[in-house]
Every structure is written in structure tokens, then in C-alpha cells.
Amino acid sequence: MSHSTRIAVAEAIGTLILVVGGPGTAILATGGFFGPGSVGVLGVALAFGLAMLTAFYAVNAISGCHINPAVTAGLWITGKVQAQQIPWYLGGQFVGGVIGAGIIWVIAHSHAHFSAKGSGFASNGYGSHSPGGFKLPAVILTEIVFSALFVFVVASTCRKSLAPGFNGLTIGLMLTLVHLVTIPIDNTSVNPARSLATAIFQHGWALKQVWVFLIFPTVGGILGGVLWNFLVQPEDK
């Protein structure tokens, strides 16, 4: 198997873990169609962070565990990813995300009262589809800023001075923090692959709004890469 193929497969597996762990928790463990019990915002945020952490230690040695097009864009800006590898990263991320969302969709549809359209299927949205009723400008700003901060932290874990072994923990905790702040705003994207995957299976309003969550996390990821390049000394890159 070529190195590029291994990258794509590893990214697909990692993104699948993220989607079944994060949106999977939001869909299956937050009450609604599945009873009164709910893990709440804290539980979903922790699920995303734990999924990120475990995926990192599973595939980092193969692909670097981007499992997010915004991260790939940001790391390309920092010089940590070669341009010819980008299609393999993105292909694996989007395929893995869709497969992960498909698995959750099949499980959820075994419940007699489940409706992907009715539940929103953990999709990202603004306006009437924002959990807190936030409008589009607030959502755009949120996705740019928090994607930039997340990618900045991811890039920083690659620096030479960071103690080995703490990369995945740092990234997982940062993703948890991002979700704690932004779930009420737009269900938290900061990841175009995750957003497209759930929007496909929601198959309604989410597909009409998903453009926001494809464009602006990527913009934020690039901004995070630019900021990292500006602040970090060359000898520590």
C-alpha cells in the first residue's frame, strides 16, 4: 500500500471515530427520541474530545491524524503538509465522515420514533436551526475564530519543544473546550467533514446551510496556520 493510500485510509478511520463518537453521542444520548436521559452539552463536548484523543493515538503515526479539512489547510500553511498530499487527506476525511454518519443513521433508524429531519441529526445551523437562535454573522465569526484557535493549538503540538506523548491529550482537551463554548451557537463545526456528513443524512435544511460550515472553518484553519507561522520561532517548528 502506498504512503498516500495509507494516509487516506488512516484519515478515514480517524474521522469515522470522531463522527460516531461526537455526533453519535449528540444523536443517541441526549434524550429526545431516546428517552428522558441526556448527557447534555458537557457530555457531547467530552465525547468529541475523547473521540479526538483516541483517534489521535490510533492513526497519528500514519497520517498525523488531521481528521479535519480545516486542520489540513492550516498545516499546509505551516509547511507541515505537502500540497500533493492534500487530496488524500481530504478524500479520507470526507469518506470517513460520511461512513460514520451512515452508521449512526442506521442505528438511529432502528428506533420507531426516530426522524433525521425532525431531530436535526446533530447538524450545524444558524438562525432558527441554531440551538440558541444565533444569526449567521455570529456563526461565521464563531467558526473562523474557534477554528483558528483549534488549528493553532494543533500546529503547536507539533513543535520540537513539546514533551512527546502529550499531543493527543492537548488536542482532545482543546476540542472539548471549543465544543463547550460553541455548541449553543451552531452545534459546533470547526470541521467541514463532520458538518457535511451529518448534513447529508439530515437531508433537509442542513444541506442548505452547510456551505457556512465548509467555508468558514477552512478560513479559520488557514488563519490559525498564518498566526502560528508569525509567532513561532523557526528553530522550534
Side-chain angles (χ1 to χ4, degrees), residues 9 40 45 66 74 96 117 134 140 153 178 194 201-203 213 227:
V9 173
H66 299 183
K117 287 186 177 181
F134 289 85
I140 290 174
V153 169
V178 168
R194 165 265 189 272
F201 288 92
Q202 197 280 329
H203 196 62
F213 307 101
L227 181 62

Side-chain angles (χ1 to χ4, degrees), residues 27-105:
I27 294 163
L28 300 175
T30 57
F33 291 101
F34 303 99
S38 174
V39 299
V41 170
L42 176 59
V44 174
L46 286 172
F48 270 96
L50 290 170
M52 181 74 242
L53 186 152
T54 52
F56 182 90
Y57 290 118
V59 304
N60 175 61
I62 303 169
S63 67
C65 192
H66 299 183
I67 62 175
N68 181 340
V71 171
T72 299
L75 294 185
W76 172 65
I77 292 294
T78 68
K80 298 180 184 296
V81 176
Q82 298 177 355
Q84 63 266 30
Q85 294 177 329
I86 291 177
W88 298 95
Y89 276 99
L90 299 187
Q93 291 158 7
F94 282 109
V95 169
V98 170
I99 293 173
I103 291 170
I104 298 301
W105 187 88

Side-chain angles (χ1 to χ4, degrees), residues 201-226:
F201 288 92
Q202 197 280 329
H203 196 62
W205 62 261
L207 281 173
K208 297 177 182 178
Q209 295 194 354
V210 74
W211 64 273
V212 174
F213 307 101
L214 298 178
I215 295 172
F216 296 105
T218 305
V219 171
I222 292 171
L223 181 61
V226 170

Side-chain angles (χ1 to χ4, degrees), residues 110-157:
S110 69
H111 193 285
H113 301 295
F114 177 76
S115 166
K117 287 186 177 181
S119 69
F121 205 67
S123 296
N124 305 112
Y126 56 87
S128 62
H129 301 296
S130 157
F134 289 85
K135 296 182 179 179
L136 179 58
V139 168
I140 290 174
L141 180 62
T142 296
E143 290 300 324
I144 292 174
V145 170
F146 283 90
S147 297
L149 293 174
F150 180 64
V151 169
F152 181 82
V153 169
V154 171
S156 295
T157 65

